[in-house]
Amino acid sequence: MQAVILAGGLSRRLGGVPKAGLLVEGSTLLARTVAAAAAVIAAQEASLQTAGRILDPAAVQGEVGAQARIAVVGPVESIARWLGTVELGELVVAVQEDPPYAGPAAGIAAGLAALPRSEDPAERVLILACDMPAAAEVAQLLLAADGLGADSPEAGSAAPPHAVLAVDNGRLQPLAGIYPVRQLLAAVDAARVSQRLANASVRSLIASVAIKECAVPAGITADIDTWDDARSHGIAVPGGGQE
């Protein structure tokens, strides 16, 4: 299991204040999301160990170290500051989409490219936006629905060929999902060839990916788009924050 966390938006409705750096219960939204991804990766690896399927580091390819499992996509110079005291060492790599602020589809492409590739055809990747205060709960629900958690009856079995995406109040959430890496990479390559990657929607990017819906409690995937959203989650609003 790997993860790509998107933290590269312009936050226009927040007056340019980066969402990733907003504080919830003493931690930034980005730090909380990275911790949520790390917990899912640890749980999935535990399930593989229980089933006797251990990833051989020699099977991992790419320029990034074999320990890298989480790519945070956004302004690289700010990511370390937003992560604060989170100590995940070589688990996390920071990368900027190209061109910068080219949208979430380009961000997913950059994140995937920054992570080492495995020869395992069942490799999965957790995709999360950085601005969901309940990212930890969402990620665990996705892991359970994917059948890869340590407590799942399917733990250790071959990963399904489809993506598992959260559905909140009837709305599909493509930035809260677990995807098959090979299918997602193929979608990225196709979008790049047709020059439909930069500033494209994630829905258009994943149009060819098979999807399984995961119904989640209403409102759990709520994100921070406005200062009203921030206030509703107890986030301190600098200078009083205006819409």
Side-chain angles (χ1 to χ4, degrees):
M1 178 75 75
Q2 298 178 323
V4 172
I5 298 172
L6 302 177
L10 289 170
S11 302
R12 290 188 176 91
R13 297 178 69 186
L14 294 177
V17 176
K19 301 177 183 181
L22 295 177
L23 290 173
V24 178
E25 299 176 351
S27 297
T28 66
L29 283 172
L30 179 59
R32 290 167 63 94
T33 308
V34 168
V40 163
I41 290 169
Q44 191 259 353
E45 290 184 349
S47 74
L48 293 182
Q49 290 176 3
T50 300
R53 293 180 59 214
I54 308 299
L55 176 65
D56 179 2
V60 178
Q61 302 175 341
E63 296 180 0
V64 180
Q67 296 302 311
R69 288 291 182 270
I70 302 171
V72 179
V73 185
V76 174
E77 67 280 0
S78 299
I79 287 172
R81 183 175 75 255
W82 294 335
L83 287 178
T85 59
V86 173
E87 296 182 3
L88 295 170
E90 295 179 354
L91 189 68
V92 179
V93 60
V95 63
Q96 176 87 62
E97 67 272 31
D98 184 26
Y101 305 108
I108 289 172
L112 289 174
L115 291 169
R117 289 277 65 80
S118 167
E119 293 181 354
D120 184 355
E123 184 75 62
R124 311 286 281 170
V125 61
L126 171 68
I127 304 290
L128 291 174
C130 76
D131 60 344
M132 289 186 294
E137 292 87 344
V138 172
Q140 290 297 326
L141 288 169
L142 290 169
L143 183 66
D146 204 36
L148 296 176
D151 296 330
S152 169
E154 300 175 52
S157 62
H162 50 255
V164 176
L165 304 189
V167 176
D168 188 340
N169 264 329
R171 296 187 62 181
L172 197 68
Q173 304 292 329
L175 295 184
I178 295 177
Y179 292 79
V181 169
R182 289 196 174 184
Q183 285 193 36
L184 198 52
L185 284 171
V188 166
D189 288 344
R192 183 176 285 115
V193 167
S194 61
Q195 299 184 341
R196 291 184 292 103
L197 193 56
N199 301 310
S201 71
V202 177
R203 288 177 183 272
S204 67
L205 175 67
I206 65 171
S208 63
V209 178
I211 292 172
K212 172 186 174 181
E213 297 184 356
C214 171
V216 299
I220 198 172
T221 64
D223 55 9
I224 308 300
D225 285 330
T226 68
W227 287 121
D228 278 347
D229 295 337
R231 293 186 190 94
S232 70
H233 285 90
I235 294 174
V237 178
Q242 299 297 316
E243 286 292 323

